[in-house]
Amino acid sequence: MTVNKSSDGDFILVGFSDQPQLEKILFVVVLIFYLLTLVGNTVIILASCLDSMLQTPMYYFLTNLSFVDICFSTSIVPQLLWNLHGPAKTITSTGCAIQLYVSLALGSTECVLLAVMAFDRYAAVCQPLHYTTVMHPRLCQSLAGIAWLSGVGNTLIQGTITLRLPRCGNHRIYHFICEVPAMIKLACVDIHANEVQLFMASLVLLLLPLALILVSYGYIAQVLMRLRSALTWGKALGTCGSHLLVVVLFYGTITAVYIQPNSSYAHSQGKFITLLYTVVIPTLNPLIYTLRNKDVKGALRRLVRKHSSIREKILAK
C-alpha cells in the first residue's frame, strides 16, 4: 500500500500502512477498546464522586487515574482510527505537536500517579490507625498536583527539545503516534545527546516511581508477614492487588519503549507495545479495579438501585 504524500509541514504517520488487512482488523479492535475505555473510566469517576462510601484517598487517586486514561486515549486514538480507516495518513505539524505534548504529559503523570497510589496503599496497610490523619485531603491534593506538574514539566522539556531538532525535510514517522522515540529519529543531526536526555528523563519518571512503588510494597509485605492473618492478607490483596496488577501492565510495556528506544526489540515491536499502553491498558484499568474490588461493585449496585427507585417514583406520578 502506498502512503500518500504530505503537504509542506505535515507529517506522515506510516503506522501499519504496509499491512492493509491488519489495518482493517485494528480499526475494529481499537474502536471497541476506546469505547470501553470511555465507558469504564467514566463509570469509575461517577461512582467515586456520587457514592459517599468511595470518597476516600484511594478512590480520589483512582478518579485521577481514570481521568488521565480517558484523556490519554483521546489524545491518540481518534487520529489512529482516522489513519486506519482511510488512505490519508497525514497529521499537521500543529496536530503532531499537540499530540506529542498532551500524550507525553499524561503518560508521565500516570507514572508518578501510580507511585502516589502505592504510597496511599502503604499508609493504609502499614499505618491503619493513623491513615486518615496521614492521608488528609490537603496532602492528597498536593500529591495529585505533584503528579500532574511532573507530567507537564517533563513534556515541556522533552517535547520542546524534540520538536526543535532539525529534520531536513524528513516527514515520515514510522509509527502511528507522534512520540518522542519516533520523532527524534527524523533528525538529520547527531541525536546522541537527545538519546541520553531521553534515557535520563526515563530514569527519573519511570524507574524512580517504580522504585518508590517497590519500596512501598516491600514495607507492606513486611507488615503482612509479621501479622500472618488470613483476613488481613485477604483485605490487603483486595486493596493492593488491583493497583499492583496495573503497575505491572503499565510499566512492563512503557519501559520497553522508553528505556531502550534503539534496541532491536523496541524497533521491531514498538508499535504493538505502544498499542498496549495507549489503547489496551486504559481499558483494562477500570475492569481490574471493578472486577477485583468489592467496594466499587457495591457502589455501582447502590447507584443502579438509586437510579431505579428515582425512575419508579417519576413514573408513578
Side-chain angles (χ1 to χ4, degrees):
M1 181 178 179
T2 302
V3 179
N4 58 298
K5 295 181 180 180
S6 66
S7 59
D8 292 340
D10 289 354
F11 291 97
I12 298 173
L13 293 170
V14 177
F16 303 94
S17 57
D18 57 336
Q19 305 174 69
Q21 295 301 318
L22 178 61
E23 282 190 316
K24 296 176 182 178
I25 298 171
L26 283 177
F27 177 83
V28 176
V29 172
V30 171
L31 178 60
I32 292 172
F33 271 93
Y34 181 55
L35 293 176
L36 290 174
T37 296
L38 295 180
V39 173
N41 284 290
T42 301
V43 167
I44 292 289
I45 293 173
L46 290 176
S48 299
C49 294
L50 297 178
D51 192 280
S52 59
M53 299 292 290
L54 297 186
Q55 291 177 5
T56 63
M58 175 181 173
Y59 295 103
Y60 172 75
F61 295 127
L62 181 56
T63 299
N64 275 265
L65 180 65
S66 292
F67 182 70
V68 168
D69 283 339
I70 289 174
C71 296
F72 187 44
S73 291
T74 302
S75 71
I76 296 166
V77 174
Q79 179 68 45
L80 172 59
L81 290 173
W82 176 263
N83 291 349
L84 289 172
H85 184 259
K89 309 296 180 185
T90 59
I91 182 172
T92 64
S93 57
T94 302
C96 187
I98 291 173
Q99 187 180 74
L100 176 68
Y101 277 119
V102 174
S103 62
L104 182 59
L106 293 166
S108 303
T109 298
E110 182 156 349
C111 290
V112 180
L113 189 58
L114 289 173
V116 170
M117 294 174 74
F119 174 74
D120 172 67
R121 293 301 83 211
Y122 157 78
V125 176
C126 301
Q127 304 287 334
L129 299 179
H130 305 285
Y131 176 64
T132 54
T133 304
V134 173
M135 300 302 296
H136 55 84
R138 185 172 295 179
L139 177 62
C140 293
Q141 293 169 6
S142 299
L143 291 174
I146 289 172
W148 283 97
L149 288 175
S150 299
V152 172
N154 180 54
T155 195
L156 288 176
I157 296 171
Q158 283 203 69
T160 303
I161 292 174
T162 300
L163 292 173
R164 293 183 66 180
L165 287 172
R167 291 183 289 272
C168 303
N170 295 328
H171 294 287
R172 294 170 67 90
I173 302 174
Y174 290 90
H175 213 310
F176 62 84
I177 176 180
C178 293
E179 194 174 39
V180 172
M183 293 289 290
I184 62 176
K185 290 182 173 63
L186 300 181
C188 56
V189 295
D190 183 13
I191 59 172
H192 177 70
N194 297 88
E195 291 173 341
V196 171
Q197 177 259 333
L198 174 61
F199 178 75
M200 295 304 295
S202 299
L203 286 180
V204 174
L205 282 165
L206 285 174
L207 297 188
L208 181 58
L210 183 58
L212 294 175
I213 292 170
L214 294 176
V215 169
S216 297
Y217 278 102
Y219 280 112
I220 290 172
Q222 286 183 353
V223 170
L224 294 179
M225 290 299 292
R226 285 200 302 267
L227 295 175
R228 294 184 179 182
S229 167
L231 181 61
T232 305
W233 270 92
K235 187 175 180 180
L237 287 175
T239 58
C240 300
S242 300
H243 174 257
L244 198 54
L245 182 56
V246 169
V247 167
V248 171
L249 290 172
F250 183 75
Y251 278 95
T253 53
I254 201 168
T255 52
V257 173
Y258 277 86
I259 296 298
Q260 291 183 308
N262 285 328
S263 67
S264 59
Y265 178 74
H267 181 71
S268 61
Q269 305 295 331
K271 288 182 286 189
F272 294 99
I273 298 172
T274 305
L275 272 178
L276 288 176
Y277 67 77
T278 58
V279 178
V280 178
I281 293 177
T283 305
L284 294 180
N285 285 353
L287 293 177
I288 291 170
Y289 278 102
T290 302
L291 296 177
R292 292 179 55 87
N293 194 301
K294 294 180 180 179
D295 292 338
V296 175
K297 288 188 285 188
L300 293 177
R301 284 194 293 267
R302 286 192 295 272
L303 289 175
V304 170
R305 285 197 298 268
K306 183 177 180 181
H307 175 75
S308 299
S309 74
I310 293 174
R311 184 180 178 184
E312 289 173 0
K313 289 179 181 178
I314 293 175
L315 293 175
K317 290 182 179 180

